[in-house]
Amino acid sequence: MTITATDTTTPTVTVTRIGGRIGAEIGGVRLGGDLAPGTVAEVRAALLAHKVVFFRGQQHLDEADHEAFAQLLGAPVAHPTVPSADGRYALGIDSHHGARANQWHTDVTFVPAYPAFSVLRAVTIPPYGGNTLWANTATAYSHLPEPLRALADGLRAVHSNEYDYAALKPDALPEALAQYREVFTSTKFLTEHPVVRVHPETGERTLLLGNFVQRINGLTGRDSRTLLDLFQAHIESPENTVRWQWQAGDVAIWDNRATQHYGVDDSDAHERTLRRVTVDGDVPVGPDGTPSRLISPETVPDPAFGIASGASTTSTTSETATTPTA
């Protein structure tokens, strides 16, 4: 599929699907804070439609340009606990710090208003491996059998940044364990989310799960784990995913409200360095209109730089969320 921009002052924008349910590559765009409004609209439309979009050849971007482009999508927001690489919003995802996220997750779901979009820039890429996979949580929901959709609609789950890291990553580097214990969980969050959220822009229903989920409310540990594994298996179905082989200068942008992702840890000791800027999101609501809620601490503290997550949004969703797509 090819979409031609209507803004005649900008180059032609092409959008080429690379997966049946998720993923597209965008051409004809030089990312930066000076991108024309018409081009930004094209990119956002493709992002909402395909959930994750990719750009090759963006080597001109530095930390400032990366941030300036992200601001065109919304208000940047820093990670709640992990210091940035540039003192502002750019989170360093560096192999030498143990940052190999080989587990399916949606970014920062341990706070109520987790990011709406993530913008990831490849700086140093290993000679092999180090790919990233994304999964479409909207099609994962829509392709569930109707009885499972009805069950998921009524469930709520507790997410936390405190989990058994050593058990999940028995071969983790010592520096990764240290970062988890001393930095990632420096503030311990518990947040209750609906298992199904209504997307505030598209009206779709998406499964809100991933590695930060501790348990489903109201169920025993065994029953909770069984249901989590069942729904997560639908998210991870190969037909529901796309895999990106990175090159230096690539940029990936994903709708964090409708995806999970997984960074494959298969590049041995080779360096892999990326930078991520996230865009502030709103508080999810379930099909019954009940919003997510922070259990602890009492409030989301301000990060080292910028606003606390959700500070740029209201607690209510847009009108498009009132008529979800089943």
Side-chain angles (χ1 to χ4, degrees), residues 237-319:
S237 171
E239 295 81 4
N240 201 48
T241 66
V242 67
R243 185 180 188 125
W244 187 251
Q245 185 172 356
W246 291 99
Q247 297 175 10
D250 286 357
V251 171
I253 312 171
W254 62 94
D255 187 341
N256 198 52
R257 302 160 297 183
T259 57
Q260 287 185 18
H261 57 282
Y262 183 113
V264 183
D265 184 7
D266 62 349
S267 51
D268 299 325
H270 292 288
E271 184 177 1
R272 180 179 183 269
T273 303
L274 303 100
R275 293 289 180 265
R276 188 188 80 197
V277 175
T278 54
V279 173
D280 201 17
D282 62 328
V283 175
V285 296
D288 65 354
T290 303
S292 302
R293 66 183 184 95
L294 181 66
I295 299 172
S296 65
E298 290 187 2
T299 60
V300 177
D302 291 334
F305 183 86
I307 60 174
S309 64
S312 72
T313 66
T314 64
S315 60
T316 57
T317 58
S318 64
E319 293 182 1

Side-chain angles (χ1 to χ4, degrees), residues 64-275:
D65 293 330
H66 186 171
E67 177 186 323
F69 167 71
Q71 287 180 327
L72 300 178
L73 298 175
V77 62
H79 193 281
T81 60
V82 180
S84 68
D86 66 348
R88 293 175 63 85
Y89 300 111
L91 182 71
I93 301 175
D94 301 339
S95 57
H96 60 276
H97 289 155
R100 299 174 184 266
N102 56 328
Q103 48 202 308
W104 284 102
H105 65 287
T106 297
D107 286 334
V108 202
T109 60
F110 46 84
V111 300
Y114 59 90
F117 301 115
S118 292
V119 184
L120 187 62
R121 175 171 56 96
V123 179
T124 305
I125 297 302
Y128 55 82
N131 298 173
T132 304
L133 292 84
W134 282 265
N136 185 336
T137 59
T139 54
Y141 173 86
S142 65
H143 283 79
L144 288 173
E146 191 282 329
L148 289 182
R149 291 200 305 271
L151 173 62
D153 284 345
L155 298 175
R156 296 180 72 84
V158 175
H159 296 230
S160 179
N161 60 331
E162 186 177 25
Y163 55 91
D164 193 346
Y165 186 93
L168 284 170
K169 293 190 171 186
D171 299 324
L173 298 172
E175 52 265 40
L177 289 170
Q179 184 182 49
Y180 172 76
R181 292 169 179 156
E182 300 170 14
V183 178
F184 193 74
T185 58
S186 56
T187 299
K188 296 176 182 178
F189 292 95
L190 286 173
T191 292
E192 181 192 270
H193 287 299
V195 167
V196 177
R197 77 165 292 179
V198 181
H199 195 290
E201 293 188 69
T202 67
E204 295 172 302
R205 296 186 184 189
T206 69
L207 290 172
L208 174 44
L209 294 171
N211 184 64
F212 295 123
V213 176
Q214 281 194 339
R215 66 184 184 277
I216 295 179
N217 281 357
L219 298 181
T220 65
R222 180 177 180 179
D223 288 343
S224 173
R225 188 72 260 163
T226 298
L227 277 184
L228 290 172
D229 288 345
L230 173 63
F231 290 126
Q232 188 65 32
H234 283 271
I235 292 171
E236 298 172 22
S237 171
E239 295 81 4
N240 201 48
T241 66
V242 67
R243 185 180 188 125
W244 187 251
Q245 185 172 356
W246 291 99
Q247 297 175 10
D250 286 357
V251 171
I253 312 171
W254 62 94
D255 187 341
N256 198 52
R257 302 160 297 183
T259 57
Q260 287 185 18
H261 57 282
Y262 183 113
V264 183
D265 184 7
D266 62 349
S267 51
D268 299 325
H270 292 288
E271 184 177 1
R272 180 179 183 269
T273 303
L274 303 100
R275 293 289 180 265

